[in-house]
Amino acid sequence: MYLTSATIFVHNFKMPSTEFSVIVRRMPAHLSKFCRLRRRSYHSYDHLPYNPYTPSQEKMLSSALKHVPEYGFVKQSLVQGCRDAGYLDTTHAVFQDGVFDLVKFHLYTERNKLAALKPQIDEEEGKSIGKRIRRYCTERLKANEPIISKWTEAIAIMGLPQNIPQSLEELAKLSDEIWFLVDEKTSDFDWYTKRASLAAVYSSTELYMTQDNSPRFEKTYQFLDRRLAVVQNAGSSISNMASWASFTCFASINLLQSQFSRG
């Protein structure tokens, strides 16, 4: 059962072969061998970092993100971003997924910024895996603070049926990246359960953050601490996945319906 689940974690998404090879290289030998049999075409880990965006796309999307606090994850932000980058307003049409491309760009860029923090986090948090996991989660959540008032729009966009596979794929990549950065050396089937549990913790915390009005999001980080403590309890990882999935599913549906009702 775990072997099948571990394979689904990285195999069933339409993940670029370069990024697929990263996750396979980080797996325990018995899992990575199985995944390589399922998907033989991949590039060397040394060819990273993989960048799905052209320089012009990065310029437009980076500019568009600056308008999200004012306009939100909407077409107008893309139009303004193209204009600021020196392109015609109609250039936003190059983004076939529309505003979802803007959401994905934010997720991609903020995930990739975590690696640069590793020397600092290793020095400040010491050898404790738990402390470093928390630190990476908080750093990633802090990246949402400037646009948190519009993040429910992003959640609604990610919750659209056609966007769910890519949204879950990005969540899987974030979880794997954090475990990789803390030098976690799991050599059994916990490789998958740890990543699935962390993905659940991060997603629920991010959702909680959208409703948090406390100073400096203090309640959000307290919520994160509670969720991390729960999954550290022996045997809790899998049992909590079901309740979290149910909660997130209904919450996302409600957010999506809310967005549609407001037009």
Side-chain angles (χ1 to χ4, degrees):
M1 179 179 69
Y2 288 118
L3 187 59
T4 301
S5 300
T7 307
I8 291 173
F9 184 74
V10 295
H11 180 75
N12 284 356
F13 298 119
K14 295 180 179 178
M15 188 181 299
S17 56
T18 308
E19 294 198 352
F20 175 82
S21 70
V22 176
I23 295 182
V24 170
R25 285 288 299 271
R26 296 173 181 178
M27 281 182 171
H30 52 283
L31 292 184
S32 62
K33 180 179 179 181
F34 183 82
C35 286
R36 287 187 179 105
L37 289 174
R38 293 289 302 274
R39 179 173 179 174
R40 296 177 182 274
S41 176
Y42 60 91
H43 300 294
S44 169
Y45 180 84
D46 297 329
H47 290 173
L48 292 178
Y50 168 80
N51 189 342
Y53 301 99
T54 66
S56 59
Q57 289 175 331
E58 283 193 343
K59 188 176 181 180
M60 287 184 283
L61 290 171
S62 295
S63 298
L65 279 175
K66 296 177 182 178
H67 293 281
V68 168
E70 179 180 1
Y71 298 111
F73 286 93
V74 295
K75 177 182 175 181
Q76 185 62 30
S77 292
L78 281 175
V79 171
Q80 291 289 341
C82 292
R83 185 180 302 166
D84 292 350
Y87 297 92
L88 296 175
D89 292 2
T90 55
T91 311
H92 71 85
V94 303
F95 301 108
Q96 297 182 357
D97 290 334
V99 291
F100 185 42
D101 277 319
L102 187 56
V103 175
K104 288 187 293 182
F105 182 74
H106 173 73
L107 298 175
Y108 167 82
T109 54
E110 296 305 330
R111 167 170 57 86
N112 280 281
K113 289 178 182 178
L114 294 178
L117 299 174
K118 180 174 172 57
Q120 177 184 350
I121 291 177
D122 285 351
E123 180 180 354
E124 295 177 358
E125 305 299 341
K127 296 182 179 180
S128 171
I129 289 180
K131 289 182 179 180
R132 284 181 288 159
I133 287 287
R134 182 191 185 279
R135 179 68 178 277
Y136 281 114
C137 287
T138 57
E139 293 293 341
R140 176 59 190 86
L141 289 165
K142 286 178 181 178
N144 284 356
E145 290 184 8
I147 57 173
I148 195 62
S149 64
K150 307 297 183 180
W151 195 242
T152 53
E153 297 176 3
I155 292 175
I157 293 168
M158 289 187 285
L160 292 172
Q162 68 270 25
N163 297 338
I164 288 176
Q166 291 184 68
S167 300
L168 292 177
E169 176 186 329
E170 181 56 42
L171 179 59
K173 291 175 184 177
L174 174 63
S175 180
D176 177 71
E177 181 72 4
I178 292 175
W179 276 112
F180 179 74
L181 290 173
V182 300
D183 304 312
E184 195 270 336
K185 304 297 184 182
T186 297
S187 59
D188 54 26
F189 290 111
D190 280 350
W191 185 95
Y192 166 72
T193 58
K194 286 182 176 180
R195 282 156 176 76
S197 296
L198 180 58
V201 168
Y202 179 83
S203 293
S204 58
T205 305
E206 189 177 70
L207 188 60
Y208 183 95
M209 190 178 187
T210 63
Q211 307 300 318
D212 183 9
N213 295 316
S214 64
R216 297 182 298 277
F217 299 97
E218 293 174 355
K219 291 184 177 179
T220 292
Y221 299 116
Q222 292 170 4
F223 179 87
L224 173 64
D225 290 337
R226 292 194 298 271
R227 299 311 301 164
L228 288 172
V230 167
V231 298
Q232 286 175 356
N233 294 330
S236 68
S237 298
I238 299 301
S239 62
N240 279 286
M241 282 297 293
S243 60
W244 168 82
S246 177
F247 166 72
T248 303
C249 177
F250 285 112
S252 297
I253 291 174
N254 288 335
L255 284 169
L256 181 59
Q257 292 174 337
S258 174
Q259 294 299 314
F260 281 148
S261 67
R262 290 190 294 179

